[in-house]
Amino acid sequence: MKVDVYQVKLRMPTGQGVSLLVPAGTDLNTLPAKVRDLGELHFDKTIDLETSDTRIALDSEKAIANIGKDGYHLQGWKMDVQNK
């Protein structure tokens, strides 16, 4: 499944964020108001997403299920950087 990934511009601590995944080519105006009103959306990339994919900070199977059911998937993420 081709998926467009958007980063949601929110005031969050450094190293944290929210990504929006939708089927590639989705008109964002067709998304529910609760999604459109999250914040400014910045297109990041288009990816091929399969249920068997192993991705950092993303449960591919859950994302595909949510996209199929709701038309979108919201993914919160947090990045911890540690020096060794």
Side-chain angles (χ1 to χ4, degrees):
M1 162 185 270
K2 290 245 187 239
V3 175
D4 288 340
V5 180
Y6 291 84
Q7 299 305 320
V8 182
K9 182 91 169 175
L10 298 171
R11 290 186 183 193
M12 297 186 77
T14 301
Q16 295 183 34
V18 175
S19 298
L20 168 68
L21 288 76
V22 295
T26 295
D27 178 355
L28 299 181
N29 293 315
T30 64
L31 296 174
K34 66 181 181 181
V35 176
R36 292 190 322 265
D37 295 343
L38 284 173
E40 195 174 336
L41 298 174
H42 296 277
F43 177 78
D44 186 19
K45 58 190 165 195
T46 299
I47 61 173
D48 284 313
L49 187 62
E50 302 296 332
T51 55
S52 60
D53 289 351
T54 302
R55 295 184 178 264
I56 297 172
L58 179 64
D59 180 333
S60 298
E61 189 171 338
K62 183 177 179 181
I64 290 172
N66 286 340
I67 291 169
K69 182 176 72 129
D70 301 322
Y72 66 91
H73 175 74
L74 289 170
Q75 180 68 47
W77 54 269
K78 180 178 180 180
M79 184 176 7
D80 264 341
V81 178
Q82 298 177 358
N83 292 325
K84 290 187 176 188

